[in-house]
Amino acid sequence: MARNSPKGPWLHRFLVYGLTVLFGLLVYWLLGFVVDDIGTWPGPDYAALEERMLDPALKAEAERLDKEIGETKRAVETEQARQSILRDSTDNAQRTMNQLLEFQKLSLEKGVTPSAEEQAALAESQKRFLGNQAQHQQITEEIARLQERSRELEQEKRANQERLDEARKPIHKEHERLLERHNLVLAGLKLAFLVPLLVLAAAAFYRMRSSAYVPLVAAFAIAVAAKVMLVMHEHFPTRYFKYVLILTLLAIVTKILVSLIRTRAFPKADWLRKQFREAYEAHLCPICEYPIRRGPLKFLYWTRRTIKRLPVPRTDGAAIEEPYSCPSCGTRLFEECSACHAVRHSLLPTCEHCGATQPVEPAAAATILASDPA
């Protein structure tokens, strides 16, 4: 019977587990690069689709309205700037006229008649003031006309925009259809790359499940499976993806549950040895879990939960080791070693006194092992 391989120092085991996790993350990262590169394949061009399906007259009308609205706004801004400059000129003319009137008033109070130049300057200021007022009124009327035209253009633009929105509905629908088809093509390409890797990883894990290198294969398989699920979640509709996810999880859980039930119904030799070892440690029969009452525990009673808390009674001399069978199911639990003739565990492969090994073939265990088709 083959012996179990040593586990190694804790640091070595820690490095193995840590590097296995790192290996899985690096594989997932690498797969992500490939999947992202596949996802850069360009999709449908909405501008080209609109150029092909939209009525050119509506688009030209929209461009004309935008251009005319822009020109009208710029004209309003220009007229407002002129109006501001004219307002400043009018204010200066008014101040000059007021100063001249005040100067003439003072001269008349002193009995001095204003000169012809002063009267001409006053007349020129009055003329400039009145002219500026007339121009200001004209500019105000022009601004009002331009603003009214701007409102009319905005109303025409809203009507044109409504017609454009109505004409773009089939374009949006067609773009969504093409985009959905493009996403499905991307999903197919990504899965065409990932699914063979997943099948290869599953096959390698099945063939190498007993190998020492199974952690590498398991990390690779988990990374590929995670990336496959992520791609399906990204590209498939939610109502479809949830069924795929649930069915996949059901398949995995069913496989694990069947494997556990099969292991319990048709146990392997290694699994039996582990079960027998744990039962011996708890001083319970490995077959029926009846307490093993031998030696200092002969007159005690316990269960699987209380055995570790019960004190072992003291004896004056060493307990005599004798062969022992379970009084409940009749399984031979302790027997004489054929090599050293000391009493050894019947259901464990190695004698604790001399180290001799022998196949574990008690009646109950042999029946279980014989029923295992593997």
Side-chain angles (χ1 to χ4, degrees):
M1 183 175 298
R3 296 180 179 271
N4 294 327
S5 59
K7 296 181 178 180
W10 69 269
L11 180 59
H12 183 86
R13 298 197 303 270
F14 174 77
L15 290 176
V16 169
Y17 296 146
L19 291 177
T20 300
V21 174
L22 180 60
F23 175 78
L25 292 177
L26 291 176
V27 170
Y28 183 84
W29 198 5
L30 177 62
L31 294 176
F33 287 156
V34 178
V35 169
D36 291 341
D37 289 340
I38 296 175
T40 57
W41 188 33
D45 187 359
Y46 180 82
L49 194 64
E50 184 176 280
E51 185 71 22
R52 178 169 58 87
M53 298 181 63
L54 187 63
D55 186 4
L58 287 175
K59 191 173 181 180
E61 179 69 13
E63 293 175 355
R64 183 191 67 79
L65 289 173
D66 289 337
K67 181 179 179 180
E68 191 170 351
I69 289 174
E71 292 176 351
T72 304
K73 288 182 178 180
R74 286 191 294 272
V76 170
E77 292 174 356
T78 301
E79 294 297 327
Q80 288 176 344
R82 288 182 56 199
Q83 191 179 48
S84 177
I85 295 173
L86 187 61
R87 186 183 301 112
D88 293 338
S89 177
T90 303
D91 293 340
N92 291 331
Q94 186 177 10
R95 284 193 297 270
T96 301
M97 185 178 61
N98 291 336
Q99 291 174 357
L100 290 173
L101 288 174
E102 185 67 22
F103 182 76
Q104 288 185 3
K105 181 180 178 182
L106 292 174
S107 297
L108 291 174
E109 290 178 353
K110 293 179 180 180
V112 178
T113 304
S115 63
E117 290 81 3
E118 293 175 351
Q119 293 180 356
L122 178 61
E124 181 66 22
S125 298
Q126 290 176 344
K127 181 179 179 182
R128 185 182 305 112
F129 176 77
L130 294 175
N132 289 345
Q133 286 289 87
Q135 291 183 19
H136 188 276
Q137 182 64 27
Q138 293 177 358
I139 293 174
T140 301
E141 293 176 355
E142 180 65 15
I143 291 175
R145 186 188 68 79
L146 291 174
Q147 289 178 342
E148 179 64 23
R149 179 58 181 165
S150 178
R151 286 191 292 270
E152 293 176 355
L153 292 174
E154 289 290 345
Q155 186 174 0
E156 292 180 12
K157 182 180 179 180
R158 286 192 294 270
N160 177 264
Q161 187 63 43
E162 291 178 358
R163 293 192 297 271
L164 279 175
D165 292 340
E166 190 66 25
R168 282 176 175 147
K169 287 182 179 179
I171 302 176
H172 288 303
K173 187 175 181 180
E174 178 66 14
H175 182 261
E176 290 177 357
R177 186 186 68 82
L178 294 176
L179 186 61
E180 183 178 358
R181 187 176 68 178
H182 175 72
N183 289 333
L184 290 177
V185 171
L186 287 182
L189 293 175
K190 293 177 181 179
L191 292 178
F193 166 72
L194 292 173
V195 170
L197 291 179
L198 183 61
V199 174
L200 179 63
F205 179 79
Y206 180 79
R207 294 186 61 182
M208 301 177 62
R209 62 187 183 276
S210 300
S211 172
Y213 299 100
V214 68
L216 288 176
V217 181
F220 180 78
I222 292 173
V224 176
K227 183 57 68 175
V228 169
M229 297 300 293
L230 183 63
V231 168
M232 293 176 64
H233 174 69
E234 179 182 358
H235 291 279
F236 287 1
T238 303
R239 60 179 180 178
Y240 299 144
F241 174 74
K242 63 183 180 182
Y243 290 112
V244 174
L245 179 61
I246 292 298
L247 291 176
T248 303
L249 293 178
L250 278 175
I252 295 174
V253 172
T254 302
K255 176 64 177 177
I256 296 175
L257 183 58
V258 170
S259 177
L260 293 176
I261 294 175
R262 184 178 180 83
T263 300
R264 182 176 180 180
F266 309 102
K268 304 285 186 178
D270 293 339
W271 190 86
L272 277 176
R273 282 197 301 271
K274 182 178 179 181
Q275 176 186 348
F276 294 163
R277 183 179 68 246
E278 293 176 352
Y280 274 120
E281 289 176 355
H283 299 281
L284 297 172
C285 174
I287 306 303
C288 66
E289 294 193 350
Y290 188 81
I292 300 176
R293 297 179 179 177
R294 61 186 299 270
L297 304 179
K298 184 175 182 180
F299 301 102
L300 295 180
Y301 178 78
W302 62 91
T303 63
R304 184 176 290 275
R305 294 182 178 180
T306 60
I307 181 62
K308 295 182 180 180
R309 295 199 298 264
L310 288 178
V312 178
R314 294 183 179 180
T315 56
D316 295 337
I320 300 175
E321 295 288 341
E322 297 178 351
Y324 180 83
S325 298
C326 177
S328 177
C329 64
T331 302
R332 191 72 168 175
L333 301 179
F334 294 89
E335 62 185 8
E336 183 179 345
C337 177
S338 59
C340 65
H341 302 289
V343 177
R344 55 160 290 169
H345 300 81
S346 301
L347 302 183
L348 296 181
T350 306
C351 177
E352 64 183 15
H353 300 287
C354 65
T357 60
Q358 64 180 14
V360 179
E361 294 180 354
T367 302
I368 296 176
L369 288 173
S371 62
D372 188 0

